[in-house]
Amino acid sequence: MGSGSVVQDDKKGTRRVGVRTGIAVLALAALASGCAPGGTGHGATGPGATKPGADGATGARPAPGGQSPQGRAAGAKRAYAAKLRAEYAARAAAARRWRLKRVPVTPPAPPATKPAITTREGFEVEGHEELNLPPVFTTVPTKDKVVFLTIDDGAEKDPAFLRMMSDLRIPYTAFLSDYLVKEDYGYFKKMQDRGVTLNNHTLHHPYLPDLSYSSQKREICGMQDVIEKHYGKRPELFRPPFGNYNRDTLRAAKSCGVKYAPLWSEEVFVDHWDYREWDRDLHPGDIVLSHFRGHDDWKGTMPDMIRRFLDLVTRKGYAVARLEDYL
């Protein structure tokens, strides 16, 4: 017997265990059932114990080396936040290198459902809807605070411009004329390799309404052929030179595989802006026009033009988005 136990004989010859022995037995039972300190029942606090949650429920401890779903979610959020900080830091450093006044706004994700594109009122031609001609528009219908940069012709081929746009990750759309780009098809291949879509601005940049249907078709389809030959794909976007067109223009464009004929709401130069609308302001979804120009035509360079463009749109809280993502 353990120390301090008391054994007595009763009249029937049986032996009774004393009170202190009974207490010891109860203690052993408690240990076996996990009710004692250091067990794994409710109120256990020792190593390997299951701790109650806020509602008193208990949960299993993750296996060694594992992680709870909540922990994995928190880790993913931290990693995503770190990625955003790193991207912003890189964008801010690029903005300083290119002497921008502000860090450009990051555009939202492309819309899952593309907006319906229709011809702007007053820009229709006879039979436009009945013939299902390419829509002519100056603004994309969207609530996103974005504008779209488009650049025409191809006269200036400035390597600094390519570096700037890649460094800043600013999307834009090019509309090319062959009589200018044929001097250096490779320059625009570098542009395409950076994710820029190369579109149709005719072979020779004529005033199309003065031409017959067949002549307009040669200008438009001919440029489709050039772009396909050198860049692998026939464009779906066409911009008529000077923004001038008639019914034959759009009929010819459709026959050449064109689906859209975007014009513009604003035009940016190296030293000023021009506006189509009376309020002389930007609006969500506006298409902005510029040109491949340099010192021969401007008092500055294409990076100077981009600097003017970005300083204004960023100050007004707009991001620059990719036009094709909304079509």
Side-chain angles (χ1 to χ4, degrees):
M1 291 294 168
S3 147
S5 63
V6 177
V7 179
Q8 296 180 341
D9 290 333
D10 60 13
K11 292 180 179 181
K12 295 182 178 180
T14 59
R15 300 165 65 90
R16 288 187 296 136
V17 180
V19 174
R20 278 182 285 180
T21 302
I23 293 173
V25 172
L26 291 173
L28 288 171
L31 286 170
S33 67
C35 294
T40 57
H42 302 307
T45 57
T50 300
K51 297 185 179 179
D55 59 356
T58 60
R61 171 177 291 185
Q67 190 178 31
S68 69
Q70 296 88 344
R72 288 194 296 271
K77 288 181 180 178
R78 287 193 296 271
Y80 182 66
K83 178 183 177 183
L84 291 180
R85 287 194 297 271
E87 288 177 352
Y88 181 84
R91 205 172 179 93
R96 289 191 296 271
R97 283 194 295 274
W98 293 101
R99 295 181 287 114
L100 302 182
K101 294 179 180 178
R102 297 170 178 82
V103 180
V105 178
T106 301
T113 302
K114 309 297 184 186
I117 306 297
T118 58
T119 295
R120 177 174 173 165
E121 186 177 356
F123 286 62
E124 309 93 339
V125 298
E126 182 182 354
H128 205 135
E129 187 173 345
E130 294 81 358
L131 295 173
N132 193 29
L133 298 178
V136 181
F137 54 103
T138 62
T139 298
V140 172
T142 179
K143 294 182 179 179
D144 293 343
K145 200 168 183 182
V146 297
V147 296
F148 307 102
L149 177 62
T150 61
I151 309 179
D152 283 8
D153 63 46
E156 182 71 9
K157 303 166 186 66
D158 186 350
F161 167 77
L162 294 181
R163 292 195 302 271
M164 182 181 194
M165 301 303 271
S166 295
D167 204 12
L168 294 169
R169 299 183 182 180
I170 302 299
Y172 59 102
T173 297
F175 290 88
L176 305 180
S177 290
D178 187 53
Y179 83 107
L180 293 170
V181 301
K182 66 182 181 182
E183 300 168 359
D184 188 356
Y185 288 122
Y187 177 85
F188 298 95
K189 182 65 172 69
K190 293 176 184 177
M191 191 176 293
Q192 183 188 43
D193 291 343
R194 288 163 167 80
V196 177
T197 303
L198 307 180
N199 291 294
N200 191 325
H201 200 44
T202 71
L203 288 171
H204 303 99
H205 205 276
Y207 180 77
L208 290 173
D210 278 351
L211 303 181
S212 66
Y213 171 80
S214 60
S215 294
Q216 292 196 52
K217 187 174 180 178
R218 279 194 297 273
E219 281 287 337
I220 299 168
C221 288
M223 192 61 197
Q224 294 286 84
D225 295 340
V226 167
I227 293 177
E228 182 178 31
K229 176 181 177 181
H230 291 279
Y231 307 112
K233 185 178 179 180
R234 297 176 76 80
E236 295 185 346
L237 277 62
F238 160 71
R239 174 173 285 160
F242 316 106
N244 296 121
Y245 60 94
N246 59 16
R247 186 169 179 265
D248 283 346
T249 309
L250 299 181
R251 285 179 56 228
K254 181 183 177 181
S255 75
C256 300
V258 168
K259 293 185 178 179
Y260 301 97
L263 297 184
W264 61 91
S265 286
E266 295 88 25
E267 183 172 0
V268 60
F269 299 84
V270 74
D271 55 355
H272 72 281
W273 283 70
D274 281 345
Y275 298 85
R276 188 184 294 273
E277 309 301 334
W278 64 270
D279 61 359
R280 298 181 60 79
D281 202 0
L282 298 176
H283 314 90
D286 275 0
I287 300 171
V288 180
L289 164 67
S290 193
H291 290 82
F292 291 97
R293 295 284 189 271
H295 281 294
D296 290 344
D297 302 282
W298 286 345
K299 295 179 180 178
T301 63
M302 289 198 70
D304 292 332
M305 177 274 291
I306 295 298
R307 195 172 295 113
R308 175 172 288 275
F309 167 75
L310 288 175
D311 284 343
L312 178 67
V313 300
T314 306
R315 176 168 60 82
K316 290 182 174 288
Y318 283 85
V320 184
R322 184 174 177 269
L323 177 59
E324 291 80 3
D325 288 340
Y326 284 71
L327 301 180

